Amino acid sequence: MSKKRIAILGSTGSIGTQALEVIEANPDVFSVEVLTAQNNADLLIEQAVKFAPKVVVIGNALLADKVTAALASFPITVYSGNSALVSVVESDSIDIVLTAMVGYAGLLPTIHAIKAGKNIALANKETLVVAGELITNLARENNVSIYPVDSEHSAIYQCLVGEEKNPVEKIILTASGGPFRGKDRAFLAAVTKQQALKHPNWSMGAKITIDSATLMNKGLEVIEAKWLFDLSASQIDVIVHPQSIIHSMVQFEDGSIKAQMGLPDMKLPIQYALHYPYRLKSSFPRFDFTAYPSLTFEKPDLDTFRNLAIAYEALERGGNAACTVNAANEIAVEAFLQDRIGFLEISDVIIACIAKIAYIENPAYLDYVETNEATRRFALEMIQVKV
């Protein structure tokens, strides 16, 4: 079997670096064709020297000379600027594209990769949140498979293998509850970004860690699940499972439930997506049932953590509503990380944007672009007034 040639969009982030660990552990199975980063030029250079891709892209054009000079003695082509991302994914030398960029920025490169017939290992959930109908239609038209990398969606995907003829009654996405599980709004009003960035179970980037603390990450996953698995909002449940051992479950029409379990380690779903349908032998730590004599479950607190309810409402509404929610959340989270707004104000910004931005029932691609831009402008104006 020939090596699977991988392009990693966002190779210097949490998912990208862990994907490279998977590739390094399986040199006879994978090769690196493309690496991209936005600003972390030093790590991109280090990765390029180690993994010898054919192409690297540094999104920040101001860093192009630095990357080009550092890699001048290597047979590596260097491109810069975000426009380069949408062209490199179309290369004939790529078998699968891992979209590990953060946020809305992953949408356009993913569209181009799908149109070029590349299978997608999807870690950028915002692509489906913003434009799920557009993306899934394109995937069908181009006979492209989308393999989820999120641990929860990977769990659902694994549970559905071999069940193609059995309708799903519902899926159950598990949530750790984040660092503030059980806290009330009075407590949350005073939390700091340092507290919010301390996730109890997972090691992730700053944006997704804050999303986990607000439960928006779970809300985005609910919307993503709708498009990945062709479900209605009523078929997608969320349950808080603090131990993060059951990664998610599928309930079938006979009442039977299948769950995918394991220790929290993102390298497992990354590896599964990159090499589907085959499982690779790994040295990951094994789960010991005796070390977890009690697995617990509870309902999410939608009154305290309003973002999950907001996401469900956007899913029910459809159109460009989820695009608005995503853009508002990205701006609000960044403002919180910059100490410009409080933790609870993240939800306030999102709710205000939903009320302000024009609703479009059947959006085309350019409608998503305009919705994203208009939402960001309004959210920034709101935050500026607050500050």
Side-chain angles (χ1 to χ4, degrees), residues 205-247:
K207 195 268 183 181
I208 191 173
T209 304
I210 300 302
D211 281 348
S212 180
T214 67
L215 290 195
M216 178 55 86
N217 187 53
K218 204 54 50 179
L220 299 180
E221 288 176 2
V222 168
I223 299 171
E224 182 183 8
K226 182 263 188 296
W227 297 111
L228 279 172
F229 306 114
D230 192 22
L231 301 170
S232 66
S234 63
Q235 290 178 288
I236 307 170
D237 283 354
V238 170
I239 191 165
V240 175
H241 168 48
Q243 297 80 24
S244 296
I245 296 301
I246 295 178
H247 299 306

Side-chain angles (χ1 to χ4, degrees), residues 36-296:
T36 84
Q38 183 63 26
N39 293 305
N40 195 340
D42 291 334
L43 182 53
L44 180 64
I45 291 165
E46 180 183 323
Q47 292 173 340
V49 170
K50 183 173 184 177
F51 290 94
K54 290 181 179 177
V55 172
V56 301
V57 178
I58 181 72
N60 185 343
L62 297 176
L63 298 171
D65 289 345
K66 177 178 182 176
V67 177
T68 300
L71 299 178
S73 61
F74 298 89
I76 300 171
T77 303
V78 178
Y79 296 110
S80 65
N82 292 325
S83 60
L85 291 172
V86 303
S87 56
V88 296
V89 295
E90 299 171 347
S91 170
D92 290 338
S93 66
I94 296 170
D95 294 314
I96 187 167
V97 176
L98 171 60
T99 60
M101 300 170 67
V102 176
Y104 175 87
L107 176 60
L108 191 57
T110 304
I111 288 174
H112 279 257
I114 291 173
K115 286 182 176 179
K118 309 302 179 186
N119 288 333
I120 305 295
L122 185 70
N124 175 256
K125 65 174 64 68
E126 291 87 352
T127 291
L128 287 181
V129 170
V130 169
E133 187 171 13
L134 173 67
I135 293 295
T136 51
N137 286 340
L138 278 176
R140 279 192 293 270
E141 291 167 8
N142 291 278
N143 196 30
V144 161
S145 295
I146 299 177
Y147 304 117
V149 170
D150 272 344
S151 61
E152 296 83 357
H153 299 95
S154 176
I156 300 299
Y157 201 89
Q158 293 179 58
C159 289
L160 290 174
V161 171
E163 301 283 0
E164 291 78 12
K165 295 182 180 180
N166 294 314
V168 171
E169 187 168 281
K170 69 176 180 178
I171 65 172
I172 304 162
L173 299 176
T174 56
S176 70
F180 305 134
R181 179 176 64 88
K183 304 298 184 182
D184 60 20
R185 292 183 66 80
F187 177 90
L188 295 179
V191 301
T192 65
K193 67 182 178 184
Q194 287 78 17
Q195 291 172 297
L197 286 169
K198 291 180 180 178
H199 195 280
N201 299 333
W202 298 95
S203 175
M204 306 175 291
K207 195 268 183 181
I208 191 173
T209 304
I210 300 302
D211 281 348
S212 180
T214 67
L215 290 195
M216 178 55 86
N217 187 53
K218 204 54 50 179
L220 299 180
E221 288 176 2
V222 168
I223 299 171
E224 182 183 8
K226 182 263 188 296
W227 297 111
L228 279 172
F229 306 114
D230 192 22
L231 301 170
S232 66
S234 63
Q235 290 178 288
I236 307 170
D237 283 354
V238 170
I239 191 165
V240 175
H241 168 48
Q243 297 80 24
S244 296
I245 296 301
I246 295 178
H247 299 306
S248 280
M249 296 167 270
V250 177
Q251 181 171 302
F252 296 95
E253 289 187 328
D254 62 355
S256 175
I257 296 176
K258 288 174 71 173
Q260 191 267 330
M261 305 172 64
L263 294 170
D265 188 338
M266 279 306 302
K267 290 194 289 294
L268 197 152
I270 291 169
Q271 181 173 289
Y272 187 78
L274 292 180
H275 203 49
Y276 181 85
Y278 306 106
R279 293 184 183 271
L280 289 169
K281 186 175 181 179
S282 79
S283 58
F284 305 155
R286 269 37 179 180
F287 175 68
D288 178 0
F289 276 90
T290 62
Y292 290 82
S294 178
L295 298 180
T296 60

